[in-house]
Amino acid sequence: MNRAERVTALTAIAGPLRGAVLPIGQGLTIGRSRQNDITLDDRLVSRKHCRLEAQADAVALLDLESENGTHLNGSAVKEAVLAVGDELRVGQSVFLCEGGSRTLQTQAPGESTVVLRVDDSPYLKQDAPLQPTSRVLSDVKVLLGIGSALPTARGLADVRRTLVEKVAQALPAQSVFLVVNGEEFPDAISGAGRELMEQVREQRVSILTELDGNRIAAPLIAFQQLVGVLYAESDYALRSEHLDLLAGIAGMAAPAVESAIRLSSLEEEKTQLERELHIAHDMVGESDALQTVLKAISRAAPTDASVLILGESGTGKELAARALHRNSKRAEHRFAAINCAAIPETLIEAELFGFERGAFTGATQMRRGRLEEASAGTLFLDEIGELAPAVQSKLLRFLQEREFRRVGGNRSIRVDVRVIAASNRDLDAMVRSGAFRQDLFYRLHVIAIQMPPLRDRVSDIPLLASSFLHKHRNLCTHRVTGISPSAMRCMKEYTWPGNVRELENAIQRAMVMGTGPEIQPEDFPDSVLESVAGGGALGEEAGEYHEEVRRAKQRILQTALDQSKGNISEAARRMGLHPNNLHRMMKALGVRARG
């Protein structure tokens, strides 16, 4: 690009005249009309588009008020002086300005790739001796434009859009892509293009190649870290000047792209935290144990992965399952629940998969199962550990193939449903003993959520109690406004083996049995009082009374056990109790069978 060398010819490198060498002579005109020296059959070209005038030592370019403009090195111009190496674009045609006897030359196969190290880019060197040619001035204008546009871009998508548009305007390229680290290559990039970008990533150099097409790519490096690759494809030959410019753009844009990536990551983290704090659910509490559950639900809900909810009875496993459904993309569809322990083994298969007419006695018409009813929604299988082995096998087949057959049917039915299961049993132990299929366990155990017992959520008891008071406010004839301090201490000291469900039942009973506006300790079931009596939670006078009651019950139980010679079943029969109830009372009162 020698500024002193005069432009003598135009070589068409894109458009209908591609490959033609057009001498300028004393001047020439370009336009769509046949009266021009160069006629371009292009709707983007005006009838009289532009004129080139040969002067003493230069060639002047003059736009003839064209509708779409005349572009020199990517910028629209009205008047300009041409220099060797400039690119003149008129409509869809691009011309390379040649000097002397020089014409466009195709590189030899061994020279068809140009590699530029980052440190060698003229626009990234602080002390680079740039000649003030029209090409260099045009490139600097492009860089300044990008430098002023990127700070105003908001987010990675806006930065990408701005950068791609600017590169497409500055280079004779038909396709431009910015691929940041961690992203997949767009489908529009060919295999050869992907190989080039991988090479740029690995070697951290800018590359121009004419192998299998005209391609160019440059790395974006910020703070010694590779953040992405800028890539462009062209229908005509690219030159080293284009590589210089793309490398300069990549170097200037890299910090902005890196900041946009970091900002995007922070915004995603912020959104995730907000989602964790604001998920829709009916669980009550603020304890750390419950917050851990809510965070797990927020992460699992948007996916279609199977979830296994584990925990003791009464901990709110179904509430967790409903929260998973409400915060999923299936929220507008049905949530169907089956308690596997409450349905007889002979009926559970028909309940789950449905049945055809005549499948068994009483099947007078076809009936859809819960799987079909929950199509596009969520199926919740509570107490999955109680599922019969034969049904376990059929459920596994559905989870693998996403299709099933109704009982008595021979047609496969495919449904899109998410499966959530729950159990209060030790499924690991059941798998080891052979009571539960290992392959089904792994299918259900994609994501596991452990529900904490109420004894690990003591700080949530006041909130839960208040919620239940409000929920059951119409249960009794008198008005209950709150819970006395001694009753609250009693609730906090009790271990609640039945968890939240037991707490709700205890509140309900206290509301019915109590007579005052506040729930008192004596309004609670005996099991609660017996467990905490003597511990100071009931107050001095109430504590003495209940301690005497506790001792009396201990004496009665111990006498019955002694008379039965330690036989619990016999002692229960003597007392008119079920053996299970006697076991519970013995545990609560600290009584043991002797001898």
Side-chain angles (χ1 to χ4, degrees), residues 230-542:
L230 197 53
Y231 171 79
E233 295 180 354
S234 177
D235 289 339
Y236 63 92
L238 295 166
R239 295 177 294 108
S240 60
E241 290 87 349
H242 298 132
L243 189 64
D244 291 341
L245 177 58
L246 188 68
I249 293 173
M252 174 175 287
V257 172
E258 192 272 343
S259 297
I261 293 173
R262 268 194 298 113
L263 179 60
S264 177
S265 177
L266 290 173
E267 288 177 345
E268 289 179 4
E269 184 177 347
K270 176 176 176 288
T271 301
Q272 177 65 25
L273 290 173
E274 289 177 345
R275 189 183 298 119
E276 292 173 357
L277 295 174
H278 298 97
I279 64 171
H281 65 91
D282 293 324
M283 289 175 279
V284 176
E286 298 176 348
S287 64
D288 290 342
L290 183 60
Q291 293 304 310
T292 298
V293 170
L294 294 178
K295 288 180 181 179
I297 290 174
S298 71
R299 292 188 175 97
T303 74
D304 272 338
S306 299
V307 179
L308 181 59
I309 305 173
L310 302 170
E312 299 175 6
S313 293
T315 52
K317 294 188 289 296
E318 183 168 345
L319 290 179
R322 290 185 179 276
L324 285 164
H325 175 71
R326 288 171 62 183
N327 294 277
S328 73
K329 60 186 178 183
R330 301 174 180 269
E332 296 182 359
H333 299 280
R334 184 168 179 180
F335 176 90
I338 296 181
N339 188 326
C340 301
I343 302 175
E345 180 178 338
T346 55
L347 299 180
I348 187 66
E349 183 179 352
E351 185 72 17
L352 183 59
F353 300 108
F355 55 83
E356 298 287 354
R357 179 180 178 182
F360 48 81
T361 303
T364 58
Q365 60 183 2
M366 183 276 291
R367 178 186 168 188
R368 293 184 175 88
R370 296 296 181 89
L371 268 174
E372 284 183 85
E373 292 177 353
S375 181
T378 302
L379 176 67
F380 175 53
L381 300 175
D382 198 7
E383 303 304 339
I384 189 73
E386 307 299 328
L387 207 60
V391 184
Q392 289 183 30
S393 177
K394 293 186 177 182
L395 177 60
L396 173 64
R397 188 181 307 117
F398 168 74
L399 292 174
Q400 291 173 333
E401 302 174 5
R402 292 296 166 177
E403 61 182 27
F404 65 95
R405 293 182 180 180
R406 298 192 190 108
V407 176
N410 54 17
R411 179 174 64 91
S412 293
I413 300 172
R414 178 172 289 272
V415 294
D416 173 26
V417 64
R418 183 185 193 180
V419 175
I420 299 175
S423 179
N424 64 354
R425 301 183 64 179
D426 186 347
L427 292 184
D428 276 319
M430 293 182 67
V431 168
R432 290 193 295 272
S433 67
F436 196 84
R437 292 183 64 109
Q438 184 181 53
D439 43 7
L440 177 58
F441 174 74
Y442 290 138
R443 281 284 181 179
L444 296 171
H445 196 269
V446 176
I447 298 174
I449 296 178
Q450 183 71 44
M451 298 300 296
L454 187 55
R455 59 183 174 273
D456 292 342
R457 299 174 52 195
V458 175
S459 62
D460 288 337
I461 289 178
L463 293 173
L464 286 163
S466 177
S467 173
F468 294 144
L469 279 178
H470 179 75
K471 178 180 177 180
H472 302 295
R473 60 186 181 278
N474 298 323
L475 192 63
C476 52
T477 56
H478 66 284
R479 187 181 179 205
V480 180
T481 59
I483 302 172
S484 69
S486 58
M488 184 61 71
R489 288 195 297 272
C490 180
M491 287 192 296
K492 287 184 176 180
E493 289 194 5
Y494 183 51
T495 57
W496 301 105
N499 295 294
V500 178
R501 186 182 295 122
E502 184 185 5
L503 173 63
E504 183 174 8
N505 292 339
I507 294 292
Q508 285 182 269
R509 181 191 186 282
M511 293 175 70
V512 173
M513 300 301 293
T515 58
E518 285 190 336
I519 290 177
Q520 300 298 328
E522 56 266 26
D523 299 330
F524 288 130
D526 290 344
S527 58
V528 177
L529 299 177
E530 292 163 358
S531 176
V532 300
L538 304 179
E540 186 175 349
E541 293 182 359

Side-chain angles (χ1 to χ4, degrees), residues 494 526-527 530 553 557 560-561 568-569 571-573 575-591:
Y494 183 51
D526 290 344
S527 58
E530 292 163 358
K553 289 183 176 181
L557 290 182
L561 287 167
I568 295 176
S569 296
R573 188 188 64 77
M575 300 177 66
L577 297 174
H578 190 281
N580 289 345
N581 290 339
L582 180 57
H583 269 293
R584 179 182 61 79
M585 292 179 66
M586 290 172 60
K587 182 177 181 181
L589 295 169
V591 175

